[in-house]
Amino acid sequence: MTSSPLLLEKIPLFATVDVLVVGGGSAGCCAALAAAGEGAGAVLLIERYGFLGGTSTQMLDTFYGFFTPGEEPRKVVGGLPDTVVNALDAAGAVFLRPNTYGAGTGVNYNPERLKLVWDKLLATAGVRVLLHATLVAADQDAAGRIVGVVISTKSGFLRLNARRFIDASGDADLCHAAGVPLEKAGEREPAQTLTTTFRMSNVDLPAYAAAGGKRMLMERMAEAVERGAHGLPRKSGSLHEMNARGCISTVAVRVAEVDATDFEQLGAAEREGRRQAFVYEGFFRECVPGFGAANIVGLSHQIGVRETRRVYGEYRLTQEDCLSVARFDDRVLLCGAPIEDHRATKDGGAETVWGYVPGGQAYDVPYRTLVPRGRDELWVAGRCFSATHDAHASCRSMAQTMAMGQAAGTAAALSLTAKCGAREVSIPELQVRLRASGSTLEAPAQPAATGREEWAKNFPNN
Ligand SMILES: Cc1cc2nc3c(=O)[nH]c(=O)nc-3n(C[C@H](O)[C@H](O)[C@H](O)COP(=O)(O)OP(=O)(O)OC[C@H]3O[C@@H](n4cnc5c(N)ncnc54)[C@H](O)[C@@H]3O)c2cc1C
């Protein structure tokens, strides 16, 4: 994935736009929505799969990060992420899931419905979306500034030119192609493990709850591992009720020590993830009350990848920033989510290491973490933003990745209006625009109501 002048000469130009967003995950969709909403002109988003949402629709069903964890949760994300939740609610496809595994109250949604919600929101905002379009190279001028990209499609290779670029590919594919300095997961710290999520139907949830629910599940898993039964890969794993009757979704499979930017390693991880999923199915059916007649009805679209490449930006968010509740003048979003590091153990198993932001507070995330060092035409949003391994393990929930997208898209629009580079965007103006569209830049004094059906009190656009 490098720029190649020889190749570029022969590739037809398909479109020229003002803002090009690479990747249609939670960050990329919000970046495109914000850029279009702030009057950036022609906004185009490319996505390698046939649907939008990235991890939000490929493998998950719960937004974390809207609420801080703990006894007195605060709602620390608003703006476009609220619009997404409200659109899901209008379709009856959302409820609040109480904090059962440490990350705080989650907003549970129907992921298939969310694909439609992303389609509709982007179409209404006038964003041009190219699905089945994979970025393969960057076109750079003599000064190294990105001026276009090459995409691979069923119709062949095509070129897209733009004035501003937002890399929301999760893997920082555009930055990688353009030679932007990056840290790859695993280089300094073990990369977070990968997970194939799976969904089971025909679960008797009352019977499961009556038998002890989560506590009982943990005991049964630990017993099975002690006995060497079923070949379970680890002693823990979580499941939760879905937005469909008698269905559950899991985060149980763990595949460790994978470089997910290496396609052969990723392919092997896909096969291992599927194998483990059906090991868990056998265990659930035989050992867990309520699951006797249940079976797998869906695996995630691909194995879930938590981290790959993170850019070196104008600022790098650190573990100390998270745990000292850092304040920054150029904040563009807040995060109170704990550090949640899924890592391999020496005995070949896997564990999750937690680190909580003190006092249930939320730290500031600075604008400079979205600007790759020294760049004027380029932003990053989502899980490839500028952070250390530990800080990334906190600031990667989807409420935060959506908020990053909103900030990057708004900044790109402002830079076009002001005819300035990413590093010169006026921070006061950016913060005014973000506040005007409902973004939260100060944590509320009052705790939020987080009962199962009380979500509407927290999402003011409703
Ligand atoms: C197993 C797992 C469980 C998690 N659990 C939760 C949870 O319960 N709640 C929560 O809030 N967060 C959770 N997270 C974290 C969160 O989901 C992610 O950090 C977040 O979704 C990342 O969003 P993103 O938009 O940055 O990237 P992604 O969602 O990865 O989106 C990137 C998009 O870019 C596309 N793309 C990639 N490369 C290219 C290319 N070259 N050309 C074109 N398109 C490309 C991809 O197809 C994708 O659509 C979990 C993550 C994993 C992996």
Side-chain angles (χ1 to χ4, degrees):
M1 193 170 304
T2 50
S3 50
S4 159
L6 282 178
L7 182 72
L8 288 174
E9 275 168 23
K10 301 193 171 163
I11 298 173
L13 179 64
F14 184 75
T16 298
V17 296
D18 296 293
V19 178
L20 183 112
V21 179
V22 179
S26 51
C29 287
C30 286
L33 285 172
E38 295 290 336
V43 179
L44 189 147
L45 181 149
I46 58 171
E47 165 55 43
R48 68 178 157 166
Y49 289 141
F51 59 92
L52 295 171
T55 309
S56 76
T57 50
Q58 288 164 17
M59 60 214 61
L60 298 181
D61 69 350
T62 308
F63 296 133
Y64 282 124
F66 274 105
F67 301 97
T68 57
E71 293 301 309
E72 298 200 323
R74 301 293 195 276
K75 182 165 178 283
V76 293
V77 171
L80 280 174
D82 279 0
T83 307
V84 176
V85 174
N86 285 324
L88 284 162
D89 174 54
V94 68
F95 66 84
L96 287 186
R97 183 145 70 75
N99 177 12
T100 48
Y101 289 98
T105 296
V107 179
N108 183 294
Y109 54 85
N110 179 325
E112 301 306 324
R113 177 65 71 169
L114 179 56
K115 291 178 184 170
L116 208 62
V117 163
W118 288 125
D119 280 345
K120 284 188 180 163
L121 288 175
L122 276 103
T124 306
V127 176
R128 187 172 179 190
V129 176
L130 301 182
L131 298 177
H132 295 299
T134 304
L135 174 117
V136 290
D139 184 8
Q140 292 166 269
D141 65 15
R145 191 183 159 91
I146 304 170
V147 292
V149 302
V150 177
I151 54 172
S152 166
T153 74
K154 276 282 176 196
S155 319
F157 290 122
L158 298 168
R159 269 188 309 129
L160 304 169
N161 287 348
R163 296 160 72 199
R164 301 288 186 272
F165 298 84
I166 300 173
D167 186 344
S169 63
D171 298 324
D173 279 359
L174 176 57
C175 293
H176 176 60
V180 170
L182 302 151
E183 181 184 339
K184 211 153 88 170
E187 269 173 11
R188 294 181 183 199
E189 316 244 6
Q192 292 221 36
T193 52
L194 281 67
T195 298
T196 303
T197 60
F198 62 89
R199 295 155 191 174
M200 296 182 78
S201 72
N202 208 24
V203 180
D204 184 344
L205 283 164
Y208 169 73
K214 178 187 165 195
R215 182 191 42 76
M216 172 274 299
L217 176 66
M218 295 301 153
E219 286 167 6
R220 300 270 163 116
M221 281 184 177
E223 278 165 26
V225 171
E226 297 291 309
R227 284 188 285 121
H230 293 284
L232 279 191
R234 64 192 191 109
K235 285 183 189 166
S236 57
S238 68
L239 68 83
H240 60 264
E241 180 188 1
M242 290 187 70
N243 220 300
R245 194 180 293 269
C247 294
I248 59 100
S249 185
T250 64
V251 179
V253 165
R254 284 293 156 84
V255 185
E257 289 171 31
V258 179
D259 173 0
T261 62
D262 176 316
F263 82 103
E264 286 191 283
Q265 289 191 37
L266 188 58
E270 295 281 9
R271 287 185 285 275
E272 172 59 12
R274 278 192 285 278
R275 187 194 68 77
Q276 287 186 22
F278 282 92
V279 167
Y280 273 105
E281 184 194 54
F283 160 77
F284 279 121
R285 285 168 61 96
E286 281 179 39
C287 303
V288 183
F291 281 76
N295 52 12
I296 287 183
V297 285
L299 301 177
S300 48
H301 185 83
Q302 68 150 76
I303 192 165
V305 176
R306 293 185 169 85
E307 66 167 338
T308 48
R309 303 187 188 104
R310 285 171 273 110
V311 303
Y312 285 100
E314 288 289 308
Y315 184 80
R316 273 196 120 196
L317 194 72
T318 65
Q319 180 185 37
E320 200 194 333
D321 293 333
C322 307
L323 299 182
S324 67
V325 199
R327 297 282 166 238
F328 296 97
D329 289 343
D330 65 337
R331 70 188 171 284
V332 285
L333 60 130
L334 304 178
C335 180
I339 293 171
E340 185 184 345
D341 190 356
H342 301 261
R343 53 168 65 180
T345 51
K346 289 203 177 84
D347 61 1
E351 62 179 0
T352 306
V353 178
W354 295 86
Y356 282 86
V357 180
Q361 300 181 76
Y363 57 86
D364 294 347
V365 180
Y367 170 67
R368 288 163 294 152
T369 61
L370 308 181
V371 181
R373 201 180 288 161
R375 306 303 292 216
D376 282 325
E377 79 288 21
L378 178 64
W379 288 260
V380 283
R383 68 176 171 83
C384 50
F385 83 122
S386 177
T388 61
H389 168 83
D390 313 275
H392 173 269
S394 161
C395 196
R396 66 185 178 91
S397 292
M398 291 185 283
Q400 277 68 38
T401 55
M402 288 191 277
M404 284 184 210
Q406 178 161 11
T410 306
L414 284 178
S415 87
L416 284 167
T417 320
K419 297 187 173 53
C420 68
R423 288 171 293 164
E424 293 137 18
V425 165
S426 158
I427 300 301
E429 208 176 330
L430 176 59
Q431 291 173 334
V432 165
R433 294 305 315 148
L434 290 173
R435 283 196 182 92
S437 60
S439 297
T440 305
L441 302 186
E442 285 83 25
Q446 294 304 317
T450 52
R452 183 184 165 100
E453 302 299 340
E454 283 179 309
W455 67 273
K457 292 179 190 159
N458 299 295
F459 293 88
N461 298 341
N462 196 35

